Amino acid sequence: GEALAHYRAGLAIAPGNPTALCRIGSLLTRAGQYAAAIEHLKEACRNARKDAVPHHLLGLAYAGAGDLVAARKELRKAADLAPRSVPILRALGDCHLQASEPQKAEAVARRAVATFPDDVEAVRTLAAVYAAMGRGREPPHARGQRRAGECG
């Protein structure tokens, strides 16, 4: 649409601009045009290697395309660059769940909650991981954690 044309025009003026490439890649991902999105986002990553955003968006595009190996690789890069980003951690956890790696998803979700214990999205992510693992109704002490005052 109009936004895509706007960012493409901007890219014609400033070739390789990571922001324009990310916007185009994001719009293409939302439109389900994963191959085109991936190409734009790969270029954004090359042009902004130390920026988590292009890696995050590239990971989402790969996940949409069904390439969970590449998605996890890019989302891990994004999480390394922005370790306190709940949206990136949530995306990485979701990717681990889709790849049938619930323990890794749990570790990522726990990291998000430990970083931001009052963040509703971080807590929801951990709850979703537990639900996917069939542990949605299990109290914390039933998972090997002890309540204060309990003896082992």
Side-chain angles (χ1 to χ4, degrees), residues 15-140:
N17 181 283
T19 300
L21 289 164
C22 283
R23 303 279 186 194
I24 292 168
S26 182
L27 290 168
L28 291 169
T29 297
R30 286 187 200 143
Q33 298 177 29
Y34 302 114
I38 288 166
E39 290 310 309
H40 282 85
L41 294 166
K42 282 172 139 179
E43 185 177 350
C45 288
R46 283 191 297 273
N47 296 340
R49 294 183 195 278
K50 304 262 185 203
D51 188 347
V53 173
H55 292 285
H56 179 202
L57 295 174
L58 182 55
L60 296 176
Y62 276 128
D67 187 345
L68 297 179
V69 172
R72 288 191 310 265
K73 178 182 173 194
E74 292 302 325
L75 291 169
R76 278 193 297 272
K77 281 183 193 174
D80 288 345
L81 291 167
R84 297 177 56 84
S85 171
V86 172
I88 291 171
L89 294 174
R90 187 172 52 240
L92 180 56
D94 288 345
C95 196
H96 282 304
L97 278 179
Q98 289 176 30
S100 299
E101 298 175 335
Q103 289 78 16
K104 289 182 181 181
E106 179 183 10
V108 170
R110 283 179 166 274
R111 180 172 150 195
V113 171
T115 303
F116 297 103
D118 296 329
D119 186 287
V120 173
E121 289 303 314
V123 174
R124 279 189 193 153
T125 299
L126 184 57
V129 168
Y130 285 151
M133 295 171 73
R135 291 172 39 184
R137 296 180 180 264
E138 196 174 322

